[in-house]
Amino acid sequence: MGSNSSRIGDLPKNEYLKKLSGTESVSENDPFWNQLLSFSFPAPTSSTELKLLEEATISVCRSLVENNPRTGNLGALIKVFLSRTKELKLSAECQNHIFIWQTHNALFIICCLLKVFIYEMSEEELQLHFTYEEKSPGSYSSDSEDLLEELLCCLMQLITDIPLLDITYEISVEAVSTMVVFLSCQLFHKEVLRQSISHKYLMRGRCLPYTSKLVKTLLYNFIRQEKPPPPGAHVFPQQSDAGGLLYGLASGVATGLWTVFTLGGVGSKAAAAPEVSSPLANQSLLLLLILANLTDAADAPNPYRQAIMSFKNTQDSSPFPSSIPHAFQINFNSLYMALCEQQTSDQATLLLYTLLHQNSNIRTYMLARTDMENLVLPILEILYHVEERNSHHVYMALIVLLILTEDDGFNRSIHEVMLKNITWYSERVLTEISLGSLLILVVIRTIQYNMTRTRDKYLHTNCLAALANMSAQFRSLHQYAAQRIISYTCRHLRRYVCVLDKLYFPHSHCSTLQHCFSTLSDNGEELLSLTCSHILRSYASSLFSLLSKKHNKVLEQATQSLRGSLSSNDVPLPDYAQDLNVIEEVIRMMLEIINSCLTNSLHHNPNLVYALLYKRDLFEQFQTHPSFQDIMQNIDLVITFFSSRLLQAGAELSVERVLEIIKQGVVALPKDRLKKFPELKFKYVEEEQPEEFFIPYVWSLVCNSAVGLHWNPQDIQLFTMDSD
């Protein structure tokens, strides 16, 4: 690092940077710009590389902040860039490497400077820097041209109109990155911005007509996942006859400023974030999510969200209603395949959620697909590896499932899709299982993880809602899925009795009940021994008899009694006391899910009846519980009916014989004996002011995964970020 470090330290002394940031005005026609822009290096691809560059040049940037109101050099640089972009498309067609290369360099410098300007000053000051004119040095004219708006329009045109070739790949990435940087003023505010220069420029004026084209291009960038060209394919080859501009003028710049990136010191360092295979796709997706989550302007809705809500399939020939602005069409099959392949990233899952929630066209299309396993399996894998994922990614994956389960067709079809050898599911070897049964297993595992680790009520509520939506359509449940539904319910039934014991008899020295629970494994699949089962049944009956008299009052008195026994009123209740209502809610919902399946699809699920009969002793103990009596009626009826038929068949029955008796009994059980309950249906609804969640989330993704963009964690106000 020695020599490289010294060169980085010398950057503020570089003559070209000093002239750009100094006190002397440089005309946009000055040959200086060709000299400044004739450097050659691979653009920084990691935040580490860019961080080192920024630290070395921060004094230069701040000098420009101070001097630019008098020199207008930033405006001159932008005008140089704007003039070049007018010929960029032609240059791409003519393979004019040098012209594109210098234009990219101009944009790269603008992006670096813009990031510092946005952090260092208010929006009002920023706009003044972009409205300078040379009429009278040091003054600003109210009718001067707004270079910031012109720059943004130019960037939109560059993103949407320039063909994506090897020689234009880097400038396309840089254009998207510069737009992200322009919107980054949100990072330096604790509150969500509802009125800013973002709203001023992007939601009205000259930028507005580019809305649908920009959204469409960003989506296609995500779909195509174009990888960057191989090294050397996009950099002008270093040959002696390449021309004086490149290797005469440029050589001085390269040796003094830019070759630090080509010597291996910085570029060879391993980046902390995983390597991004397509920087353009990654950056485009992040920009799309930022735009989609901008708050509405005071006098107009967010046009980018409108575009995302209304686009249609290219195969849809129906006309767009005149009331829908910013409409466009895109290939839904290509989009679907890209979403299936990219779900390992937070931002791809967030895009999937956004499209499913806001665009009815894409939701209808996805639900009609016959290969939904390609989309659902990656989502289930996210939930399965919940320990390795951040909570927001898990939330988004879970809400995607909840939205899908709102559709009865989806709930039926997933039980018809058979899967073989799910290698990432390690609890048990699953040689063959339906997608529906696998979904049940993963969601129950997520609930269990949440209840024992994170204890997030929002998470378990949505998990249960997804299971409830599916319950009436359960079909041919795998024996392990049926077992987990019942065993998970039993686990909470046992835990509930234990909590009640602690609440009512906090000073009891009797450890029999606690011993019963300590002998159970986490998954709660073992049966209690005969002695323990008898004790538990008798004890539960006495507790529930007490509850049935004055349920709420007894609970309240027990809680007050327990609190009174503590040394201070400031001491919170123990976890088991705080958890009582949560446990009761989970039990109630699981019983409703079981009841819904028995009522609507009993004949399709002999394995669930088998698992229920296997645990019947514990369910029978809850028949008298005041909170569950109503929902236990059907469960008790099924247990009684099939227990009687098994008793008639004799002892020592094999598993196969029991299942045969169940299948025969299903036909004989009168359906009218099962009490009808309202259909279990839950619909996902965003919280009020969803931007309070989504805007910080999107910007956290930008800070963690954007290619070549870095912000000092200590400067960020929108959320707390770990320091590097």
Side-chain angles (χ1 to χ4, degrees):
M1 280 293 292
S3 61
N4 284 336
S5 297
S6 63
R7 284 178 184 158
I8 291 177
D10 289 340
L11 289 179
K13 302 176 184 177
N14 179 273
E15 59 177 298
Y16 297 101
L17 291 180
K18 288 175 68 175
K19 184 171 183 179
L20 174 66
S21 61
T23 58
E24 178 187 347
S25 293
V26 182
S27 166
E28 59 193 272
N29 299 315
D30 195 300
F32 162 80
W33 299 110
N34 280 335
Q35 298 170 344
L36 176 66
L37 302 181
S38 296
F39 58 85
S40 178
F41 74 99
T45 56
S46 73
S47 62
T48 303
E49 294 174 358
L50 197 58
K51 179 183 177 183
L52 291 174
L53 175 64
E54 288 180 358
E55 288 175 350
T57 57
I58 189 65
S59 61
V60 174
C61 295
R62 287 177 175 165
S63 176
L64 182 62
V65 169
E66 180 181 351
N67 294 323
N68 185 66
R70 292 181 294 276
T71 65
N73 286 346
L74 176 62
L77 172 61
I78 291 172
K79 288 180 179 180
V80 169
F81 169 73
L82 293 175
S83 67
R84 286 174 168 271
T85 56
K86 295 175 183 177
E87 302 176 36
L88 198 58
K89 191 172 183 178
L90 180 61
S91 298
E93 295 171 355
C94 298
Q95 295 285 304
N96 189 335
H97 290 252
I98 294 180
F99 189 88
I100 295 172
W101 165 62
Q102 291 184 326
T103 308
H104 165 268
N105 290 347
L107 182 56
F108 174 74
I109 296 174
I110 290 170
C111 185
C112 293
L113 294 174
L114 181 62
K115 192 147 77 69
V116 175
F117 273 59
I118 286 174
Y119 171 68
E120 292 282 342
M121 63 190 67
S122 67
E123 291 186 348
E124 292 76 14
E125 292 174 306
L126 179 67
Q127 288 178 281
L128 289 178
H129 277 274
F130 279 85
T131 53
Y132 171 82
E133 285 200 3
E134 202 174 346
K135 292 178 181 178
S136 54
S139 66
Y140 296 92
S141 173
S142 59
D143 59 350
S144 60
E145 188 176 24
D146 192 334
L147 283 178
L148 190 53
E149 183 176 35
E150 191 169 348
L151 174 63
L152 287 171
C153 289
C154 179
L155 292 175
M156 288 184 169
Q157 287 179 307
L158 197 159
I159 294 168
T160 58
D161 293 346
I162 301 302
L164 188 59
L165 307 170
D166 282 356
I167 60 174
T168 61
Y169 190 93
E170 284 192 0
I171 195 170
S172 297
V173 174
E174 201 63 49
V176 176
S177 297
T178 305
M179 285 201 67
V180 172
V181 167
F182 166 70
L183 291 157
S184 67
C185 54
Q186 174 65 78
L187 284 173
F188 310 114
H189 294 80
K190 290 184 178 180
E191 304 297 327
V192 169
L193 294 178
R194 302 183 186 279
Q195 186 61 41
S196 67
I197 56 174
S198 305
H199 296 81
K200 174 182 177 181
Y201 291 120
L202 295 178
M203 296 192 184
R204 57 176 69 87
R206 295 171 57 192
C207 293
L208 190 60
Y210 296 101
T211 297
S212 59
K213 199 171 183 181
L214 177 63
V215 171
K216 182 177 182 177
T217 302
L218 295 176
L219 277 173
Y220 268 127
N221 287 346
F222 166 72
I223 289 170
R224 290 167 179 151
Q225 294 290 318
E226 291 282 356
K227 292 179 172 55
H234 54 292
V235 178
F236 196 83
Q238 296 190 11
Q239 299 172 354
S240 58
D241 58 350
L245 174 65
L246 178 57
Y247 300 109
L249 297 175
S251 59
V253 185
T255 54
L257 175 58
W258 303 114
T259 51
V260 63
F261 292 102
T262 64
L263 298 179
V266 177
S268 63
K269 277 196 165 186
E275 185 177 351
V276 175
S277 62
S278 175
L280 180 61
N282 182 72
Q283 226 80 336
S284 295
L285 177 53
L286 292 171
L287 176 57
L288 180 63
L289 292 172
I290 294 169
L291 293 171
N293 287 282
L294 288 174
T295 57
D296 293 336
D299 55 350
N302 179 346
Y304 304 94
R305 188 182 301 122
Q306 286 183 315
I308 287 174
M309 291 172 63
S310 59
F311 72 83
K312 298 195 305 183
N313 196 351
T314 49
Q315 296 181 353
D316 186 347
S317 58
S318 61
F320 282 101
S322 58
S323 59
I324 297 181
H326 315 299
F328 64 92
Q329 292 179 292
I330 204 167
N331 188 307
F332 277 14
N333 181 65
S334 299
L335 177 58
Y336 177 80
M337 297 304 294
L339 287 167
C340 292
E341 293 168 1
Q342 300 298 322
Q343 285 307 304
T344 52
S345 75
D346 282 67
Q347 48 267 38
T349 305
L350 181 54
L351 175 63
L352 174 60
Y353 158 79
T354 302
L355 296 177
L356 280 174
H357 178 57
Q358 298 186 4
N359 190 313
S360 59
N361 299 320
I362 192 73
R363 183 168 62 250
T364 301
Y365 173 85
M366 288 186 178
L367 289 169
R369 295 280 304 202
T370 58
D371 60 348
M372 279 296 287
E373 67 273 16
N374 292 333
L375 183 67
V376 175
L377 281 173
I379 297 297
L380 294 183
E381 195 167 355
I382 293 169
L383 294 177
Y384 185 79
H385 296 294
V386 59
E387 302 94 336
E388 304 167 14
R389 303 289 182 179
N390 70 70
S391 60
H392 287 12
H393 197 185
V394 173
Y395 287 153
M396 291 299 101
L398 182 56
I399 293 171
V400 164
L401 282 186
L402 179 56
I403 293 172
L404 293 174
T405 61
E406 292 172 11
D407 182 76
D408 285 340
F410 171 83
N411 295 332
R412 284 190 298 270
S413 65
I414 56 175
H415 293 289
E416 299 169 0
V417 178
M418 298 306 297
L419 309 168
K420 295 181 183 295
N421 300 318
I422 308 301
T423 55
W424 48 262
Y425 192 94
S426 59
E427 269 84 350
R428 179 169 296 196
V429 176
L430 300 175
T431 55
E432 187 174 55
I433 189 172
S434 71
L435 179 61
S437 290
L438 180 64
L439 195 158
I440 292 168
L441 288 174
V442 172
V443 171
I444 289 178
R445 185 181 184 275
T446 305
I447 304 173
Q448 184 170 322
Y449 173 83
N450 178 65
M451 293 291 285
T452 57
R453 306 281 186 86
T454 57
R455 305 162 73 88
D456 186 328
K457 184 175 181 180
Y458 177 87
L459 188 65
H460 88 248
T461 299
N462 283 281
C463 284
L464 292 170
L467 288 178
N469 283 346
M470 297 168 57
S471 59
Q473 306 293 336
F474 284 170
R475 296 288 189 276
S476 303
L477 291 181
H478 189 280
Q479 60 181 15
Y480 185 48
Q483 179 186 344
R484 293 297 290 122
I485 291 172
I486 300 301
S487 64
Y488 182 73
T489 307
C490 290
R491 184 168 186 256
H492 284 285
L493 291 174
R494 297 186 186 103
R495 187 179 174 199
Y496 185 75
V497 175
C498 185
V499 171
L500 287 179
D501 174 63
K502 290 181 179 180
L503 271 174
Y504 294 144
F505 308 105
H507 304 295
S508 171
H509 297 287
C510 178
S511 60
T512 305
L513 188 63
Q514 291 189 6
H515 173 72
C516 291
F517 287 93
S518 67
T519 60
L520 297 173
S521 67
D522 280 344
N523 61 18
E525 292 178 16
E526 292 81 358
L527 279 176
L528 289 170
S529 67
L530 177 62
T531 304
C532 288
S533 180
H534 175 74
I535 294 172
L536 185 58
R537 180 164 58 252
S538 302
Y539 194 78
S541 297
S542 62
L543 279 176
F544 298 159
S545 176
L546 178 65
L547 282 173
S548 64
K549 295 177 182 178
K550 290 185 178 179
H551 181 220
N552 293 331
K553 186 174 181 181
V554 170
L555 282 178
E556 182 181 351
Q557 289 175 346
T559 304
Q560 290 175 348
S561 173
L562 181 61
R563 188 181 293 280
S565 68
L566 300 175
S567 58
S568 169
N569 286 334
D570 295 331
V571 178
L573 285 172
D575 286 343
Y576 60 79
Q578 296 174 351
D579 285 350
L580 186 63
N581 287 336
V582 175
I583 298 170
E584 187 170 312
E585 288 175 9
V586 172
I587 292 173
R588 172 79 190 187
M589 184 63 80
M590 290 303 298
L591 291 176
E592 289 191 353
I593 289 167
I594 296 169
N595 179 74
S596 175
C597 178
L598 296 178
T599 305
N600 294 282
S601 54
L602 177 64
H603 56 294
H604 289 298
N605 293 291
N607 284 330
L608 186 68
V609 177
Y610 182 96
L612 184 61
L613 293 173
Y614 190 67
K615 302 283 189 176
R616 60 182 177 269
D617 284 350
L618 191 55
F619 281 92
E620 288 169 349
Q621 295 156 20
F622 280 77
Q623 294 173 8
T624 58
H625 191 290
S627 293
F628 311 134
Q629 279 180 320
D630 59 334
I631 206 70
M632 284 296 298
Q633 291 180 34
N634 287 339
I635 297 174
D636 180 50
L637 174 63
V638 170
I639 289 174
T640 303
F641 178 82
F642 286 99
S643 295
S644 174
R645 295 183 72 90
L646 291 176
L647 188 61
Q648 294 173 15
E652 304 297 331
L653 299 174
S654 67
V655 173
E656 291 76 15
R657 178 57 182 151
V658 172
L659 285 171
E660 182 182 345
I661 294 171
I662 290 172
K663 291 175 183 177
Q664 294 170 352
V666 165
V667 179
L669 177 63
K671 302 297 186 292
D672 57 358
R673 291 180 60 185
L674 294 173
K675 180 182 177 183
K676 290 291 184 182
F677 286 85
E679 185 181 15
L680 281 181
K681 274 297 175 185
F682 294 87
K683 186 175 179 62
Y684 171 72
V685 178
E686 278 189 344
E687 300 283 346
E688 290 186 13
Q689 297 184 321
E691 63 274 9
E692 298 290 343
F693 170 85
F694 285 105
I695 289 179
Y697 178 33
V698 169
W699 278 106
S700 71
L701 297 180
V702 173
C703 290
N704 287 320
S705 59
V707 177
L709 291 178
H710 168 81
W711 288 271
N712 188 337
Q714 296 177 348
D715 296 334
I716 295 173
Q717 299 293 316
L718 183 62
F719 54 84
T720 301
M721 186 176 178
D722 294 334
S723 299
D724 292 340

